[in-house]
Amino acid sequence: MFKKSKKNINENLETKTSSAAASEEVSVDEVMKKYDRESNTRIWEGVPKYIVMTIMALFSIFCIIMTLFITTDDRIRLTSFVGSALLMGYLVYPAKKGSQRVNHMPWYDIIIMVAGAGAFFYYCFNASDIIARVTHIYSYEIIIGLIGLLALMELCRRSVGVPILVVAGAFMLYAWYYFSFTKHLGPSAGGQYLIYNLFYKTTGILTTPINVCSKYIVVFIIFGAFLERTGISEYFIKLANSIAGGSSGGPAKVAVISSALCGMVSGSSVGNTVTTGSVTIPMMKKTGYKPEFAGAVEAASSTGGQIMPPIMGAAAFLMIDYLGAEYSRIITYAILPAVLYFAGIFITVHLEAKKLGLRGIPRAELPSFLKLQKQIYLLIPLIVLVWLVSSNTYTMAFSAAIAILLAIAIGLVEMLRIGVSARKSGNASAKTSLVKETAVNLGSMIFNSFANGAKSCISVIAACGMAGCVAGSITMTGLGSQLINAVLKISGDHIFIALFLTMLCCIVLGMGVPTTANFCIMATTCAPILIEMGIDNTAAYFFVFYFGIVADITPPVALAAYAGSAIAKSNPMKTAINATKLAIAAFIVPYIFAMNPVMLLMNEGVLSAILVIVTSLLGIFGIAVCLNGHLFTRVIWPLRIAILAGGLAMLVPGLATDAIGFVVVAAVVLYQYLTAKNHTPVNA
């Protein structure tokens, strides 16, 4: 969601640099271009650059006005929205990776841009006539629809990647086959009918994903661009350093905390891995962590940021639409699974540090926690946003607009603080007054935030358009019921088998797909299967969301893990395997709450909720000890299996399982403590 800017983080970080850090910075730029398609953009300089940025800034303003004030027919609103995104998309993204010529746009890109955007604008300006004709459509309008569909698919390939196109293409190909041969329309008529439904009706591109994107997501992305300019990412990293940097293996714990905080508002596993990882991974390696482990910690933590309330990389706002639940309930349901996820990683990095005998960062080199509280005002826009949305009094669009205004105000305060500090230290130019300098910087911040927000929207809009095509293809053909019947038949009505098959589908379909489109696809294809099996609606949607997200660290694709390995200069597959082990909670907890929603704290009393939280945390501790193989000393395999069984038992809600699990975990811990006390510790 809130796309992070590596440049902003590096500009704001007040840390010591060296030639080694400089060389690391070069590799980070290369990683961004290799694993984050949004970094492969055209190079605009001079006047063309400002023209392009102005177009994107105007688009951001248009989106805010549209969500707040425009109440016209959705087909008019959405076609203008997607058409504008196509114009921007082809101005920003070239046809292929690699070095780009400055201020150059090939003639064929101009043709595709004009034709593709023109197709949507044709629909926009002729919507009333097309709607009035109902099913009557002219032949040339089918061609226009095909051009618009292909242009959107090509933009999705450039800005998001091929995996989502493979998924969408497979479903659309099946829909064409269904209409052409199963319904006996013939190949030509079947293709026309498919294009008509995908382009002109609200059963394709203009369905729920793009509608939610236009109403909610883009406004929050724009807010994220403003929030990033306030220096909140730098603040999160400094705050994490002040809390955990001095403890054993401190840099890894800093990575966990800062990535959770930054990741919840970034909405990009790869982007967050690269931006925060450029700071945390070298620190972890310097402390003594192996490269594969360092890259894995950052990848797993950054990916988990998207399940971290209150933002959850925009998924929280999507779930409001799909579940019809209040925002406050959504984030309440998400709290315990997110805590368990990060607790598992945090415990594992602590155990690894103890096993390797690693120390933390010297206290003298860490920022002061008390001094950082002076900048607590940086969190005001985020806090107010959550409060407004949770109140159920204001619309999400209005809440985001207020949060944007607050972010501008906070940015102004921060600029004044920096300006006054620079003048006191004698580092500011005496020729420029503080008021003039602040006014120029504030204007630049607003302009750049609007422009960067629009740029971050492009890939999300394209992906949501493809997600709509997937949903439309499933709905039109009745494929959803066939998938449900197939899973029911294979699983033989066994819930666990159905959950396992659904997990595999989510991981495969979620590879290389942005969070928002990922959830839309999972909610359309996989969640109905679980609901049909009797799984609670909320638990089903959370289940598919979690496994769609962990696709970013699950081999063989694992884009976030590969990005982390590139920064850590480690083996990519080993890094991905380590990241999967670190994120083990994400592979276990969804099964637990799917079969017993108690873990989502649904309708639980205070004492019951406390019991679930405590026993679940102890359970995750037991699993982490098993996977790491070290507690006070090396844990032998029989005890590792025992504490794993105890941990799993405590994760399953119920007094009997909690009691049995607690006894087993406590026995292993006590045995380990006595062994360590009486013998010299043996490092694994």
Side-chain angles (χ1 to χ4, degrees):
M1 179 180 138
F2 301 159
K3 185 66 181 176
K4 297 171 75 170
S5 169
K6 180 180 72 64
K7 181 179 179 182
N8 290 342
I9 293 177
N10 291 333
E11 286 177 349
N12 291 327
L13 279 175
E14 298 173 4
T15 56
K16 296 181 180 180
T17 59
S18 62
S19 58
S23 64
E24 196 71 43
E25 182 69 22
V26 173
S27 68
V28 167
D29 291 334
E30 295 172 354
V31 172
M32 287 289 286
K33 291 181 179 179
K34 183 175 181 180
Y35 294 103
D36 186 8
R37 295 194 69 90
E38 292 185 46
S39 298
N40 290 283
T41 57
R42 298 190 196 279
I43 301 174
W44 297 107
E45 297 291 348
V47 175
K49 174 183 177 180
Y50 288 103
I51 292 175
V52 172
M53 291 184 69
T54 300
I55 292 172
M56 292 194 291
L58 290 173
F59 175 78
S60 290
I61 296 171
F62 164 70
C63 288
I64 294 173
I65 293 174
M66 179 177 66
T67 55
L68 289 175
F69 306 113
I70 297 178
T71 57
T72 186
D73 185 279
D74 279 351
R75 281 164 284 196
I76 296 175
R77 182 175 58 83
L78 295 178
T79 48
S80 63
F81 175 71
V82 179
S84 300
L86 278 170
L87 281 175
M88 294 190 306
Y90 283 95
L91 287 173
V92 172
Y93 294 104
K96 61 181 181 180
K97 293 182 179 182
S99 58
Q100 304 295 325
R101 289 167 54 186
V102 177
N103 295 341
H104 174 71
M105 187 174 181
W107 61 269
Y108 51 82
D109 275 359
I110 297 175
I111 292 175
I112 298 173
M113 177 184 70
V114 173
F120 283 93
F121 287 128
Y122 170 84
Y123 188 3
C124 176
F125 292 118
N126 296 277
S128 299
D129 178 52
I130 293 172
I131 295 169
R133 284 190 267 123
V134 193
T135 58
H136 181 67
I137 199 83
Y138 300 120
S139 297
Y140 71 84
E141 288 178 329
I142 294 296
I143 296 174
I144 289 174
L146 177 62
I147 291 172
L149 181 60
L150 291 176
L152 184 61
M153 292 176 71
E154 169 59 12
L155 176 59
C156 188
R157 182 194 69 81
R158 296 183 182 198
S159 61
V160 181
V162 174
I164 189 173
L165 280 187
V166 173
V167 173
F171 281 103
M172 287 189 285
L173 186 61
Y174 173 81
W176 170 80
Y177 175 85
Y178 176 84
F179 293 129
S180 300
F181 301 103
T182 304
K183 290 297 183 181
H184 308 292
L185 296 179
S188 177
Q192 292 179 27
Y193 187 72
L194 176 63
I195 293 170
Y196 170 69
N197 279 274
L198 291 180
F199 190 82
Y200 289 103
K201 293 185 70 176
T202 55
T203 52
I205 295 173
L206 305 183
T207 192
T208 300
I210 206 73
N211 196 19
V212 173
C213 182
S214 68
K215 284 183 177 180
Y216 312 134
I217 297 173
V218 291
V219 184
F220 287 101
I221 291 175
I222 295 166
F223 165 64
F226 276 94
L227 193 66
E228 194 62 42
R229 292 275 168 173
T230 65
I232 195 169
S233 293
E234 171 203 356
Y235 181 75
F236 281 151
I237 293 175
K238 286 183 176 180
L239 187 64
N241 264 298
S242 68
I243 294 172
S247 62
S248 179
K253 296 172 183 176
V254 170
V256 176
I257 297 172
S258 61
S259 296
L261 295 173
C262 295
M264 72 175 176
V265 294
S266 79
S268 170
S269 299
V270 176
N272 196 47
T273 298
V274 175
T275 50
T276 56
S278 63
V279 177
T280 60
I281 291 176
M283 289 169 58
M284 284 187 273
K285 289 174 63 179
K286 184 178 179 181
T287 302
Y289 286 106
K290 294 179 181 178
E292 287 79 9
F293 190 83
V297 169
E298 182 56 53
S301 301
S302 295
T303 300
Q306 294 173 88
I307 66 173
M308 183 73 175
I311 304 300
M312 298 166 62
F317 308 111
L318 283 168
M319 285 188 180
I320 291 172
D321 195 83
Y322 276 93
L323 288 172
E326 296 176 353
Y327 174 75
S328 56
R329 288 187 176 273
I330 296 295
I331 59 176
T332 300
Y333 299 154
I335 288 175
L336 182 54
V339 169
L340 294 178
Y341 181 93
F342 286 102
I345 301 175
F346 196 90
I347 292 168
T348 301
V349 299
H350 176 76
L351 294 175
E352 185 72 10
K354 289 297 185 181
K355 180 168 69 174
L356 299 175
L358 305 181
R359 297 182 178 180
I361 303 171
R363 285 290 177 185
E365 299 178 15
L366 295 174
S368 168
F369 180 80
L370 293 177
K371 288 183 178 180
L372 285 175
Q373 302 319 300
K374 296 179 181 179
Q375 289 181 274
I376 196 72
Y377 58 82
L378 292 173
L379 301 179
I380 290 176
L382 194 58
I383 294 171
V384 171
L385 171 65
V386 173
W387 174 70
L388 289 174
V389 176
S390 301
S391 69
N392 298 316
T393 303
Y394 307 98
T395 65
M396 285 192 283
F398 177 81
S399 302
I402 295 299
I404 288 172
L405 293 177
L406 284 173
I408 293 173
I410 294 301
L412 174 61
V413 171
E414 189 69 357
M415 289 172 190
L416 288 171
R417 182 186 71 82
I418 294 173
V420 171
S421 177
R423 278 159 177 75
K424 286 183 177 180
S425 61
N427 293 327
S429 173
K431 296 180 180 180
T432 306
S433 68
L434 177 61
V435 174
K436 181 179 179 180
E437 180 183 76
T438 303
V440 171
N441 289 338
L442 184 64
S444 176
M445 170 204 170
I446 296 172
F447 178 73
N448 287 320
S449 296
F450 274 132
N452 290 334
K455 179 183 174 183
S456 297
C457 289
I458 296 171
S459 61
V460 176
I461 295 170
C464 284
M466 290 299 98
C469 290
V470 172
S473 299
I474 291 173
T475 303
M476 289 184 291
T477 60
L479 182 59
S481 60
Q482 295 180 43
L483 290 173
I484 292 171
N485 291 333
V487 172
L488 290 174
K489 186 176 180 180
I490 295 172
S491 63
D493 292 332
H494 290 90
I495 294 291
F496 185 84
I497 297 176
L499 289 170
F500 181 76
L501 293 174
T502 304
M503 176 194 75
L504 294 180
C505 290
C506 291
I507 291 175
V508 172
L509 295 177
M511 291 177 177
V513 180
T515 304
T516 46
N518 184 331
F519 178 72
C520 292
I521 294 174
M522 300 307 117
T524 305
T525 57
C526 299
I529 298 174
L530 301 182
I531 294 171
E532 185 70 20
M533 293 285 292
I535 302 295
D536 178 85
N537 281 24
T538 302
Y541 280 110
F542 268 92
F543 184 92
V544 299
F545 171 62
Y546 274 45
F547 281 113
I549 292 300
V550 298
D552 282 341
I553 55 172
T554 307
V557 177
L559 289 180
Y562 292 167
S565 74
I567 298 174
K569 295 180 173 59
S570 61
N571 181 287
M573 190 55 66
K574 288 183 179 179
T575 303
I577 293 172
N578 273 312
T580 304
K581 288 171 60 179
L582 285 165
I584 191 64
F587 292 89
I588 297 175
V589 171
Y591 282 92
I592 306 298
F593 66 61
M595 291 185 284
N596 190 337
V598 168
M599 188 168 283
L600 295 177
L601 304 181
M602 298 174 65
N603 305 317
E604 293 299 308
V606 176
L607 292 178
S608 179
I610 292 173
L611 179 63
V612 171
I613 292 170
V614 172
T615 55
S616 297
L617 286 171
L618 290 173
I620 284 296
F621 168 77
I623 294 170
V625 171
C626 169
L627 293 176
N628 187 266
H630 187 275
L631 186 53
F632 300 106
T633 65
R634 183 174 64 86
V635 184
I636 59 176
W637 271 107
L639 293 181
R640 291 175 72 170
I641 295 172
I643 201 169
L644 172 63
L648 290 172
M650 296 189 76
L651 281 175
V652 178
L655 290 176
T657 53
D658 289 343
I660 294 171
F662 180 79
V663 170
V664 174
V665 171
V668 174
V669 171
L670 180 61
Y671 177 82
Q672 274 282 296
Y673 175 76
L674 294 175
T675 302
K677 187 176 181 180
N678 297 323
H679 300 86
T680 302
V682 179
N683 288 338

